[in-house]
Amino acid sequence: MAPPDEPLLHELIRKRWSPRAFDSRPVARETVRTLLEAARWAASCYNTQPWRYIVAFREDEEAFNRVLDCLVEANRVWARHAPVLMISLARKLHDHNGKPNRWAWHDVGAANAQLTAQATAFGLTVHQMAGYEAEAVRERFALDDLYEPVTAIALGYPGSPDQLDPALRERELAPRQRKPLEEIAFLGVWGRSL
Ligand SMILES: Cc1cc2nc3c(=O)[nH]c(=O)nc-3n(C[C@H](O)[C@H](O)[C@H](O)COP(=O)(O)O)c2cc1C
């Protein structure tokens, strides 16, 4: 998996990617706590801190399976080898006025990005997933309507692509794709490239 070729990017950005192969080495609870601290210190609208996390270590088989069973099969096949599974969730209302927080998902994404940067600094890899059943999360964790699952997260030390079946291995080794900057950033008016 080729890293971005932009030499000025910080190594935490260059090194981050979303692998499917995980080493069997467990991740220490203290390490995961630090990742959650990194998430906790993200910026958020009105400092509402709408992020919430469900964390399951593989050693706790019941809790781990509770998260794993919420994933779609295409993710379950590789994510079941991760030593830690998580679900990030958003609290939908602002604390200060009880009104809907339109930025809740944004802020959970920012927290997840910080968690991921800290994980990368520890030599860990993070793979976020939209492929899970939100209804299953609601039921299994008895969530009330105030909370919305955002992403499932597989976390662990990097493994070898050889652990994967051929189709996943091919995806694991494929070159990374990004849209050109001209397509995503505009100067002064919409559509004028930088
Ligand atoms: C919100 C979100 C949802 C994602 N859902 C899935 C998923 O369900 N399954 C999967 O294999 N990868 C998933 N990914 C990983 C993306 O496919 C990956 O980030 C993207 O292809 C860019 O690759 P990179 O992270 O290695 O740079 C998701 C990533 C994000 C941020």
Side-chain angles (χ1 to χ4, degrees):
M1 178 57 72
D5 53 12
E6 174 53 67
L8 293 179
L9 287 181
H10 194 280
E11 69 163 4
L12 291 180
I13 294 169
R14 274 193 286 118
K15 283 185 174 167
R16 186 215 62 84
W17 67 295
S18 303
R20 294 162 193 83
F22 292 94
D23 195 76
S24 58
R25 179 179 163 196
V27 181
R29 269 164 205 247
E30 275 313 302
T31 302
V32 174
R33 274 192 76 90
T34 306
L35 304 188
L36 294 167
E37 282 289 347
R40 194 162 82 92
W41 285 100
S44 66
C45 184
Y46 278 100
N47 200 18
T48 288
Q49 305 163 55
W51 42 77
R52 300 289 185 274
Y53 292 91
I54 294 165
V55 182
F57 292 85
R58 198 158 28 164
E59 306 87 89
D60 182 349
E61 204 177 324
E62 203 180 317
F64 190 83
N65 286 336
R66 210 176 290 134
V67 176
L68 186 66
D69 290 349
C70 296
L71 304 183
V72 299
E73 177 60 19
N75 286 331
R76 214 182 297 147
V77 288
W78 55 264
R80 71 196 160 94
H81 298 294
V84 184
L85 291 177
M86 295 191 240
I87 296 174
S88 63
L89 308 101
R91 189 178 187 276
K92 294 194 283 185
L93 303 182
H94 273 301
D95 288 339
H96 69 285
N97 60 8
K99 291 193 172 157
N101 178 2
R102 199 161 83 76
W103 295 274
W105 276 50
H106 169 277
D107 294 348
V108 174
N112 285 343
Q114 292 205 181
L115 179 152
T116 301
Q118 187 65 54
T120 307
F122 285 155
L124 287 156
T125 57
V126 167
H127 195 141
Q128 295 201 66
M129 293 165 272
Y132 65 87
E133 303 292 346
E135 225 17 73
V137 175
R138 275 185 198 299
E139 277 172 29
R140 282 167 176 269
F141 295 96
L143 285 190
D144 70 41
D145 281 348
L146 197 49
Y147 298 94
E148 188 80 42
V150 179
T151 56
I153 299 172
L155 167 76
Y157 292 97
S160 159
D162 296 339
Q163 296 164 228
L164 300 169
D165 73 29
L168 284 181
R169 193 182 315 134
E170 193 178 322
R171 285 173 66 189
E172 194 85 338
L173 298 172
R176 298 174 72 194
Q177 305 283 348
R178 284 300 187 271
K179 293 184 167 87
L181 209 52
E182 295 69 35
E183 205 178 306
I184 63 160
F186 306 123
L187 186 63
V189 294
W190 186 258
R192 184 202 289 153
S193 73
L194 278 168

